[in-house]
Amino acid sequence: MVETGHHQHQHQPAPAVVGPPMFPSMALPTGPNWPPAEQLHQLQYCIHSNPSWHETVVLAFQHYIVMLGTTVLLANTLVSPMGGDAGDKARVIQTMLFMSGINTLLQTLIGTRLPTVMGVSFAYVLPVLSIIRDYNDGQFDSEKQRFRHTIRTVQGSLIISSFVNIILGYGQAWGNLIRIFSPIIVVPVVSLVSLGVFVRGFPLLANCVEIGLPMLILLIVSQQYLKHVHGISRISVILERYALLVCLAIIWAFAAILTVSGAYNNVSVATKQSCRTDRAFLISAAPWIRIPYPFQWGTPIFRAGHVFGMFGAAIVASAESTGVFFAASRLAGATAPPAHVFSRSVGLQGIGVLLEGIFGSITGNTASVENVGLLGLTRIGSRRVVQISTGFMIFFSIFGKFGAFFASIPLPIFGGIYCVLLGIVAAIGISFIQFANTNSMRNIYVLGVSLFLSLSIAQYFLSNTTRAGYGPVRTAGGWFNDILNTIFASAPLVATIVATILDNTLEPRHASKDRGLDWWKPFQHRDGDNRNAEFYGMPLRINGYLPTRFL
C-alpha cells in the first residue's frame, strides 16, 4: 500500500508517568477561613447597651472588688517602708479608692469614654522607693514624722510630674505616636500590658496556695464548665456573670475557717500575713467616716531630684493605659480608638495625677488591666457598669470601716482571680494579629523580636532591682537612674519602643498591606469611620465648648 500525502498517522497517547501521588500545596488554604472581625460577636452587652439596673449594680460591685486587690497590694508595698502604721495604710487606701472613683468617672465621661477603671499604677513604685531611701537615715524623731514627710514629698513629685502627661496628651504628641501604629505594633503592646505583670498572678497566688489555688480552680470550673452540666442551665447566666463574687465569698469563708481553726498558728510570719483573714488590721484602724481632702498630709514638698525621677513613671503609665484602652475597645464592642482620643485620655490622665498629688495619694493612676479582663470574663462591656462602680469606690473610701472589711480579703485570693483576668487581656492582644498578614515573614520577625525583647529586657531590670529600689542603672545621678530603671522595667513601654521602630523602618511602604494599614487607617482619624463619633463622641454637646485639641 502506497501512502498518500493526505494520509496522517494517528499518534498514540503517551503512557502516564508513574510517580509519587500529588499532594496539595501547604501554602494553599485547605481548611476553614475565618474572616477578621472588627467587633467580637459573643458580647452580651457592648459599650452603649446596658443590663437591667439590679444587674448593673452587682456587676459594678464586681469591678470594685477586682480593683481593690491591686490597691491593697500597692499600699502593702509602700506604706510600711514609708514609716506608716495600720491606720496610715487605711487612710492611704481610702485616698487611692476615692481618687480612682473620680478619675474613672472623668475618663468614662470626657476621656476615652471606654469602660475602663482608672486604678493605681505600679510604675511609680521605683521613684517612691527612691524618696523613701533618702529619708531613711534616722533624721526624724518618729516613724509617724518620717511617713508624713515622705508622703508630702511624693505629693510634690506627683504634682509636677503630672504635667508630663498633660503636655504629651493635650499637646497631641501621644496622638501623633498612635498614628504610626499598626496592628503589628498593637499586638505586643496590648499582650505585654498583661504578661508584663505576671507577678500578680501565680506568684501572688503561691504565697498561700491552699486558698489561692482553690480560687483559681473554682472560678474556672464554675464560670466555664458548670453551665454545660445538664440540669443547671437555668443558672448558667448567673454563673457566667457573677461567678467571681460567688467563688470569692466561698474561698474567703474557707480562709476564715482555716484562720479560726488554728491552721496558721505555727507558721512563718510571711504565711500569716498572706493566709490569715485577721492580719490586715485595717478594720480596727480605719475611721468610720472620713472624706479625703486636699493636702490632708500637709504642704507638698518639692525636690528636683525626686520630681525628675518620676517623669519616667508618667511616661510608663501612659504606655500602660494605651495598651489597656486598645484591649477595652475590643472587649466593649467598639472600634479601635482614634489617635485624638488617646491624646485627650493621656492629657486627662495627667489631670488625674495632679489631683492625686493634691489629695495625697502615693501613686499616679493608669487604666486597670484586671478590670478590662473582667469585661471579657463576664462578656459585658457596658460603660454604665463601670460608671456605677465609681459609686462603690467613693462610698467605701468615705465609710472606712466598710471599705476595710473588703480590703482585708487575703491577696492570694486575688492572685487566683488575676490568673484568669490577665490571661484574657493577653489573648485579646494576640487577636489584633488577624488584621495583618500572619503569613508574612516580615511581620513574624517584628512580632517575635518585639515580644521577646520586651519581656526579656523588663525581666532583667526587675530581677536586678533590690527591695530598696536600686536598679541595674546606677550612675551618680539618682533621678537619671530612676527614669531609666522605671522605663526599661515596663514591658509595655519597651514593646512600644521596639515594635514601633521595627515596624516603621523595615520596608514600611512595601509592606503596608501586610501590616494591615488599609484596614487600620480609617480608625486613626477623627472622621475616618462613621462609628468613631458613636463610640467616642463627647456627651451633652461638650464638643461645642472645648477647643479641638481637648476632644
Side-chain angles (χ1 to χ4, degrees):
M1 181 180 292
V2 179
E3 295 182 0
T4 64
H6 299 284
H7 182 76
Q8 297 180 352
H9 292 284
Q10 295 187 2
H11 298 281
Q12 297 295 325
V17 179
V18 179
M22 299 296 293
F23 292 100
S25 172
M26 295 297 290
L28 297 177
T30 58
N33 183 21
W34 304 106
E38 295 175 359
Q39 297 167 299
L40 298 174
H41 300 303
Q42 296 179 330
L43 297 176
Q44 296 176 5
Y45 294 93
C46 65
I47 185 170
H48 44 45
S49 60
N50 305 303
S52 61
W53 276 107
H54 69 275
E55 291 179 310
T56 297
V57 171
V58 179
L59 291 165
F61 183 69
Q62 273 191 148
H63 275 281
Y64 163 73
I65 290 295
V66 168
M67 64 84 58
L68 182 62
T70 308
T71 304
V72 174
L73 180 61
L74 191 139
N76 287 345
T77 303
L78 294 179
V79 173
S80 295
M82 292 169 69
D85 54 20
D88 296 322
K89 184 186 298 183
R91 293 179 181 89
V92 166
I93 291 174
Q94 285 180 271
T95 303
M96 291 192 292
L97 285 176
F98 184 80
M99 294 313 306
S100 291
I102 298 298
N103 290 329
T104 300
L105 192 59
L106 289 175
Q107 198 67 247
T108 55
L109 285 175
I110 59 175
T112 59
R113 298 198 36 93
L114 289 167
T116 51
V117 170
M118 300 303 294
V120 296
S121 173
F122 276 80
Y124 292 83
V125 168
L126 282 181
V128 173
L129 289 177
S130 179
I131 296 174
I132 293 173
R133 287 199 312 269
D134 288 352
Y135 292 145
N136 200 21
D137 55 2
Q139 57 183 308
F140 300 101
D141 297 331
S142 65
E143 286 293 274
K144 178 71 71 174
Q145 186 182 13
R146 182 169 73 90
F147 170 77
R148 286 189 170 271
H149 203 82
T150 302
I151 199 170
R152 287 165 56 198
T153 306
V154 173
Q155 281 185 261
S157 301
L158 286 175
I159 290 172
I160 301 301
S161 66
S162 67
F163 289 95
V164 173
N165 301 103
I166 293 174
I167 294 172
L168 286 176
Y170 294 128
Q172 305 296 321
W174 201 261
N176 291 333
L177 171 65
I178 300 300
R179 291 185 196 280
I180 63 174
F181 272 28
S182 71
I184 299 298
I185 300 174
V186 174
V187 171
V189 171
V190 177
S191 296
L192 292 174
V193 163
S194 170
L195 298 177
V197 292
F198 63 88
V199 292
R200 298 185 211 169
F202 199 85
L204 183 61
L205 176 156
N207 289 336
C208 189
V209 71
E210 57 266 34
I211 61 175
L213 189 59
M215 181 67 207
L216 173 60
I217 295 173
L218 187 61
L219 180 58
I220 294 174
V221 171
S222 62
Q223 211 263 347
Q224 295 293 327
Y225 289 96
L226 284 185
K227 63 183 179 181
H228 301 296
V229 176
H230 179 71
I232 63 172
S233 57
R234 294 181 180 179
I235 63 172
S236 61
V237 175
I238 297 177
L239 289 174
E240 190 170 57
R241 296 182 184 179
Y242 313 118
L244 188 147
L245 285 180
V246 174
C247 297
L248 186 143
I250 294 173
I251 301 301
W252 192 12
F254 174 63
I257 293 173
L258 290 178
T259 301
V260 173
S261 65
Y264 302 118
N265 289 347
N266 300 314
V267 295
S268 65
V269 175
T271 302
K272 290 180 179 179
Q273 292 288 348
S274 298
C275 300
R276 294 183 68 95
T277 58
D278 59 355
R279 298 295 292 182
F281 304 115
L282 294 176
I283 298 177
S284 59
W288 278 103
I289 300 177
R290 183 178 184 273
I291 301 176
Y293 56 91
F295 309 119
Q296 57 182 316
W297 309 108
T299 306
I301 298 174
F302 301 93
R303 293 184 61 176
H306 297 146
V307 168
F308 289 127
M310 223 166 248
F311 284 179
I315 299 173
V316 168
S318 300
E320 292 174 347
S321 294
T322 298
V324 175
F325 290 147
F326 275 120
S329 67
R330 290 279 290 161
L331 291 170
T335 54
H340 73 278
V341 171
F342 280 105
S343 286
R344 77 188 187 202
S345 68
V346 169
L348 188 61
Q349 185 175 339
I351 293 177
V353 176
L354 176 62
L355 292 175
E356 286 170 324
I358 292 173
F359 276 80
S361 179
I362 60 173
T363 181
N365 68 88
T366 190
S368 170
V369 60
E370 296 90 352
N371 287 87
V372 169
L374 185 59
L375 301 180
L377 184 71
T378 60
R379 301 185 185 182
I380 295 177
S382 171
R383 181 192 295 129
R384 178 185 292 175
V385 169
V386 173
Q387 290 175 334
I388 296 299
S389 72
T390 63
F392 287 104
M393 300 175 202
I394 296 173
F395 175 85
F396 288 116
S397 68
I398 295 174
F399 296 93
K401 294 289 187 184
F402 300 102
F405 173 72
F406 294 106
S408 63
I409 299 173
L411 288 175
I413 295 179
F414 286 105
I417 295 172
Y418 294 160
C419 285
V420 176
L421 301 185
L422 296 177
I424 291 174
V425 177
I428 282 295
I430 295 172
S431 73
F432 278 92
I433 192 61
Q434 66 181 308
F435 306 116
N437 183 4
T438 57
N439 293 314
S440 167
M441 288 304 300
R442 181 253 185 210
N443 289 349
I444 291 173
Y445 178 88
V446 174
L447 283 173
V449 173
S450 301
L451 286 168
F452 184 83
L453 270 183
S454 303
L455 277 175
S456 185
I457 292 173
Q459 180 58 28
Y460 169 78
F461 274 79
L462 289 173
S463 61
N464 286 279
T465 299
T466 66
R467 287 183 174 271
Y470 290 104
V473 180
R474 300 185 185 183
T475 66
W479 61 270
F480 181 77
N481 300 340
D482 289 340
I483 291 177
L484 290 187
N485 288 326
T486 301
I487 287 177
F488 290 105
S490 169
L493 183 54
V494 177
T496 301
I497 297 171
V498 175
T500 301
I501 292 175
L502 291 178
D503 192 51
N504 286 278
T505 56
L506 293 178
E507 301 179 339
R509 294 184 179 179
H510 298 298
S512 61
K513 286 188 177 181
D514 286 346
R515 297 168 64 197
L517 293 183
D518 293 345
W519 170 84
W520 183 256
K521 282 300 183 183
F523 302 121
Q524 295 307 297
H525 299 279
R526 189 184 305 271
D527 301 320
D529 190 280
N530 56 13
R531 292 168 294 180
N532 288 346
E534 175 187 355
F535 297 129
Y536 303 107
M538 289 289 197
L540 304 177
R541 300 182 179 178
I542 293 179
N543 299 24
Y545 303 97
L546 293 176
T548 305
R549 70 172 57 237
F550 298 111
L551 300 178

